[in-house]
Amino acid sequence: KQEVTQIPAALSVPEGENLVLNCSFTDSAIYNLQWFRQDPGKGLTSLLLIQSSQREQTSGRLNASLDKSSGRSTLYIAASQPGDSATYLCAVGGNYGGSQGNLIFGKGTKLSVKP
Amino acid sequence: GAVVSQHPSWVICKSGTSVKIECRSLDFQATTMFWYRQFPKQSLMLMATSNEGSKATYEQGVEKDKFLINHASLTLSTLTVTSAHPEDSSFYICSAREPYGYEQYFGPGTRLTVT
């Protein structure tokens, strides 16, 4: 059974710091891994999608890496800003449950960037 | 980019009544749609997967007679919570996937409160 763990559960940093969020998963047979951002009471915003054959993806100040063999992914945020404050969710896609390509989510890391 | 909408964004209903939530893919055809539930401070849990024109596949522990899913067209799926109870109060989020694709595009969510 696939399980996704995110560490830390919460993180508070001063503005301008670089930071790393961690995600681990137990079953390496994944199609892809996706990082999302969720603001309080809102839906999900997709940040980065890494296919199983890829090692990393970059978008602006965000960089996500994937090490499928060790079951780990990291999301690196450079020069953090107060607007980055949100909960960041990691999800792995694979053959789970009722259909192909289902996503299994971690519980998220709640990030707070202080001005 | 692919846009998914949900309606309503929030709803309050009395215990014992039924509530319908709509999920629409606005600029693409979605052969598969997913319904998730998120309790406070918890991660998203997949409830069911619906494929256009066929019956939904429910995850273990989700009552199919209570959570009715209809995916009658390539752009619309509905979730009806029947005989709602306070414990059904939650944040319901749908996602949609294009044919032959693995990425899921998420709606903004619906906050359901049952009194």
Side-chain angles (χ1 to χ4, degrees):
Chain A
K1 180 186 172 186
Q2 178 71 275
E3 293 182 1
V4 180
T5 304
Q6 290 187 246
I7 295 173
L11 180 64
S12 181
V13 299
E15 181 177 4
E17 271 204 8
N18 303 324
L19 57 101
V20 175
L21 306 181
N22 296 293
C23 173
S24 62
F25 47 96
T26 54
D27 184 351
S28 61
I30 65 172
Y31 292 155
N32 52 52
L33 184 143
Q34 204 163 352
W35 283 93
F36 296 89
R37 169 188 173 135
Q38 185 176 32
D39 292 287
K42 304 292 185 182
L44 305 183
T45 300
S46 179
L47 299 174
L48 291 164
L49 169 69
I50 310 177
Q51 299 292 356
S52 62
S53 58
Q54 298 175 321
R55 298 282 294 184
E56 66 176 346
Q57 283 286 337
T58 298
S59 176
R61 293 183 294 108
L62 305 179
N63 175 278
S65 68
L66 173 63
D67 184 343
K68 202 171 68 165
S69 61
S70 68
R72 296 178 188 276
S73 175
T74 60
L75 178 66
Y76 175 82
I77 302 177
S80 58
Q81 303 171 357
D84 295 331
S85 299
T87 295
Y88 290 80
L89 296 170
C90 167
V92 296
N95 273 346
Y96 312 120
S99 103
Q100 294 183 348
N102 286 355
L103 290 176
I104 303 294
F105 283 83
K107 291 187 176 181
T109 294
K110 186 174 182 179
L111 173 65
S112 177
V113 181
K114 306 294 186 184
Chain B
V3 179
V4 176
S5 70
Q6 277 185 245
H7 178 80
S9 56
W10 60 270
V11 58
I12 301 173
C13 72
K14 292 187 177 181
S15 186
T17 61
S18 295
V19 175
K20 179 185 285 188
I21 302 170
E22 292 185 348
C23 177
R24 293 182 185 272
S25 57
L26 298 185
D27 51 2
F28 67 100
Q29 292 186 330
T31 48
T32 304
M33 288 185 170
F34 302 86
W35 287 95
Y36 295 83
R37 180 167 51 182
Q38 185 179 35
F39 291 108
K41 299 188 178 181
Q42 297 295 315
S43 192
L44 279 74
M45 297 296 293
L46 180 67
M47 298 175 65
T49 304
S50 73
N51 293 296
E52 186 265 338
S54 63
K55 289 184 179 181
T57 302
Y58 291 81
E59 296 303 302
Q60 195 171 8
V62 178
E63 300 174 57
K64 61 181 65 177
D65 294 331
K66 181 172 183 62
F67 298 98
L68 302 179
I69 292 173
N70 185 286
H71 191 165
S73 78
L74 286 172
T75 59
L76 173 65
S77 176
T78 60
L79 168 68
T80 301
V81 183
T82 62
S83 187
H85 291 285
E87 56 265 32
D88 298 324
S89 298
S90 186
F91 193 54
Y92 293 85
I93 305 179
C94 74
S95 69
R97 191 173 69 196
E98 295 174 298
Y100 311 115
Y102 283 112
E103 186 167 5
Q104 294 181 30
Y105 303 98
F106 284 79
T110 297
R111 172 74 58 192
L112 169 64
T113 301
V114 184
T115 60

